[in-house]
Amino acid sequence: MIIKNLFAREILDSRGYPTIEVDIKLCNGIIGRASVPSGASTGKLEALELRDEDQKRYFGKGVLNAINAVNNIIAKEIIGIEITDQSLIDYTLITLDGTKNKSKLGANAILAVSLASAKAAATNLSIPLYRYLGGTCAKVMPVPLINVINGGLHADNKLDFQEFMILPIGAKTFNEALRMSAEVFHSLRDIIKKKNYNANVGDEGGFAPDIEKSEEALNLIIMAIESVGYSTLNDFKLGLDIAASTFYKNKVYKFENRELTSDELSQYYCDLVAKYPIISIEDPISEEDYNGWKLLTAKLGDKVQLVGDDLFVTNCELISRGIKEKMANAVLIKPNQIGTLTETFNAIKMAHMNGYKAIISHRSGETEDTTISHIAVASNCGQIKAGSLSRSERLVKYNELIRIESLLGKSAQYEFY
Ligand code: PGA
Ligand code: ZN
């Protein structure tokens, strides 16, 4: 079916800032709709999110230029293309932009078109998006990395580490994983309140208690896990997103009243991993500190999942360099860091072909769009990070996975590996 028309509009994301939504209409009237998220602790080499300069609207955060790019530049080239030709659509967008970081049209404009195309194609074939993208092999339900305590740039507390996550590795199904995690989430709220801390939530829906020490956050989470009868042996493991680039300056990591070199920081992680059931650490080292990454990967890479987010920004060139230089052993996949669906899948493929794990991820500023849930199942990558168990822009991703699991029926697989 041929693309008849496209239309972009400005909507608001979960932080109340503008973002772009695109409708793609096919000749038979079917519409595919997608919207794009926005990060706060962004990697320096991410594709460019085009924002308006006009300070009178949304303090300069409007996306009217990106919308203009879709309605007046992209539309002319995309109309008339067969909707199932996703790579032609994506390469048309990439060539039309012509820059390395998609700064001409904006990665936000480009991604919205790319995702809306896939959605229109799936709807036109009357199949779910995960099936359209992943074919008959798509069946692995991802283990969710659920961010139950927020810090860093995502919360107004003093925690320097950005995300404290629980991984329900012992569940038999995704559905059960979510139930177990929700029980822990609610018990964590009670524990936080009993200690007279504030139980308000941060940008990704995790609690943002006014504590300073990461070890206190880890202790609270373990108490919550155990208080509802689960163990950190078989049921839950812990994950962190340090977002270390946010506190790295002049070759020193400044956090929790410490000033550590990357050498000392690596030793700190080894001690933390020896003490706590941590199996995944994202951005433990700054995106600029390649030697620190190599050192930590040599020290901890065979014990713990070391995830490159700011380090790789879903970019095959950077992932390939990381693989050659033995940095990290997993890649965080955020479609808006790179800008098209085709490049997103290329990044996942490169990770998998080189023995790196891939974890599909949301952004801290999100919308109601559920494409990442479908990408996670389509790619059989086995892990997704979509925030906590409050705030609907987070739950919508997990709820979509519940639907996908029931559609997959007996063929669904849930296992941490
Ligand atoms: P961001 O944070 O969306 O604010 O960049 C998410 C992350 O660092 O994983
Ligand atoms: Zn991150």
Side-chain angles (χ1 to χ4, degrees):
M1 192 58 59
I2 300 296
I3 298 175
K4 186 174 179 205
N5 222 329
L6 27 166
F7 178 75
R9 64 175 71 82
E10 195 173 45
I11 61 166
L12 295 184
D13 73 11
S14 58
R15 282 193 273 250
Y17 285 119
T19 187
I20 180 167
E21 177 174 90
V22 165
D23 286 357
I24 289 197
K25 194 170 181 187
L26 306 183
C27 283
N28 59 0
I30 279 175
I31 289 177
R33 172 174 296 163
S35 54
V36 302
S38 175
S41 68
T42 46
K44 287 201 172 64
L45 298 177
E46 291 191 18
L48 185 109
E49 183 183 79
L50 193 64
R51 298 270 177 198
D52 305 336
E53 300 291 294
D54 181 358
Q55 293 294 327
K56 284 193 242 88
R57 292 187 75 251
Y58 292 117
F59 314 100
K61 282 181 173 288
V63 291
L64 296 183
N65 289 335
I67 282 163
N68 181 51
V70 174
N71 291 343
N72 298 314
I73 303 171
I74 294 175
K76 285 192 207 118
E77 302 297 319
I78 293 290
I79 289 170
I81 296 184
E82 161 60 40
I83 194 63
T84 49
D85 207 340
Q86 185 73 40
S87 32
L88 177 63
I89 293 169
D90 287 346
Y91 283 109
T92 303
L93 293 166
I94 292 166
T95 332
L96 192 58
D97 177 84
T99 67
K100 230 175 159 194
N101 65 345
K102 302 191 174 64
S103 53
K104 188 172 157 207
L105 302 173
N108 41 352
I110 291 173
L111 184 68
V113 173
S114 179
L115 300 182
S117 302
K119 286 182 162 189
T123 308
N124 185 49
L125 294 169
S126 304
I127 56 174
L129 185 58
Y130 74 87
R131 182 64 71 211
Y132 173 66
L133 296 174
T136 48
C137 293
K139 59 173 180 243
V140 177
M141 295 303 302
V143 171
L145 286 85
I146 297 179
N147 178 6
V148 289
I149 293 189
N150 291 185
L153 296 182
H154 294 168
D156 271 336
N157 57 10
K158 294 204 179 78
L159 276 172
D160 291 313
F161 292 178
Q162 184 177 277
E163 299 172 23
F164 296 79
M165 295 170 277
I166 53 171
L167 284 74
I169 49 129
K172 301 276 178 299
T173 62
F174 181 83
N175 208 315
E176 187 184 37
L178 219 53
R179 174 180 59 76
M180 289 164 60
S181 304
E183 289 162 5
V184 173
F185 179 72
H186 295 300
S187 113
L188 180 59
R189 181 193 290 111
D190 292 344
I191 289 169
I192 286 172
K193 279 189 163 173
K194 265 193 207 124
K195 293 201 175 268
N196 284 325
Y197 294 134
N198 189 316
N200 288 343
V201 298
D203 281 5
E204 296 191 349
F207 300 112
D210 23 4
I211 56 178
E212 284 178 40
K213 296 268 184 264
S214 49
E215 292 209 27
E216 186 174 4
L218 292 167
N219 290 335
L220 290 171
I221 295 170
I222 291 174
M223 277 169 70
I225 290 171
E226 290 174 350
S227 78
V228 280
Y230 296 119
S231 87
T232 53
L233 276 179
N234 306 317
D235 304 316
F236 282 96
K237 296 289 177 189
L238 305 183
L240 297 170
D241 181 2
I242 309 292
S245 308
T246 56
F247 54 79
Y248 180 67
K249 263 187 207 98
N250 303 325
K251 300 196 184 276
V252 173
Y253 293 90
K254 279 192 189 179
F255 67 102
E256 297 179 19
N257 299 320
R258 301 162 202 251
E259 290 194 17
L260 303 186
T261 62
S262 39
D263 234 1
E264 292 162 339
L265 182 62
S266 287
Q267 190 50 49
Y268 174 72
Y269 290 132
C270 291
D271 297 343
L272 214 54
V273 166
K275 195 165 166 193
Y276 293 96
I278 295 169
I279 58 167
S280 179
I281 312 180
E282 182 182 328
D283 282 349
I285 300 287
S286 161
E287 63 196 302
E288 290 171 339
D289 182 6
Y290 280 18
N291 283 335
W293 265 106
K294 286 181 216 170
L295 184 79
L296 183 69
T297 308
K299 271 193 169 179
L300 266 186
D302 56 345
K303 291 192 199 77
V304 175
Q305 174 170 277
L306 298 172
V307 189
D309 170 11
D310 292 353
L311 178 69
F312 294 141
V313 293
T314 318
N315 181 317
C316 277
E317 265 178 47
L318 297 170
I319 298 168
S320 140
R321 177 169 180 180
I323 291 165
K324 274 194 207 99
E325 300 193 18
K326 296 195 168 45
M327 293 189 273
N329 56 23
V331 182
L332 200 76
I333 301 288
K334 291 169 165 169
N336 83 322
Q337 282 180 330
I338 190 67
T340 64
L341 201 52
T342 301
E343 290 163 293
T344 302
F345 273 92
N346 287 347
I348 299 171
K349 199 164 150 201
M350 175 170 280
H352 284 166
M353 282 173 53
N354 290 281
Y356 277 48
K357 298 272 177 62
I359 299 120
I360 312 301
S361 174
H362 68 156
R363 300 307 304 245
S364 52
E366 263 297 339
T367 73
E368 307 90 308
D369 195 283
T370 59
T371 310
I372 59 163
S373 310
H374 290 267
I375 295 176
V377 178
S379 62
N380 286 327
C381 75
Q383 294 180 62
I384 191 167
K385 197 175 98 155
S388 197
L389 296 179
S390 79
R391 302 186 57 138
S392 282
E393 78 279 4
R394 315 293 149 188
L395 270 312
V396 74
K397 275 70 168 176
Y398 295 129
N399 287 338
E400 187 75 350
L401 284 162
I402 288 184
R403 292 180 202 108
I404 295 175
E405 188 171 59
S406 68
L407 284 173
L408 284 170
K410 287 205 174 84
S411 68
Q413 286 176 11
Y414 178 91
E415 202 180 340
F416 186 75
Y417 59 93

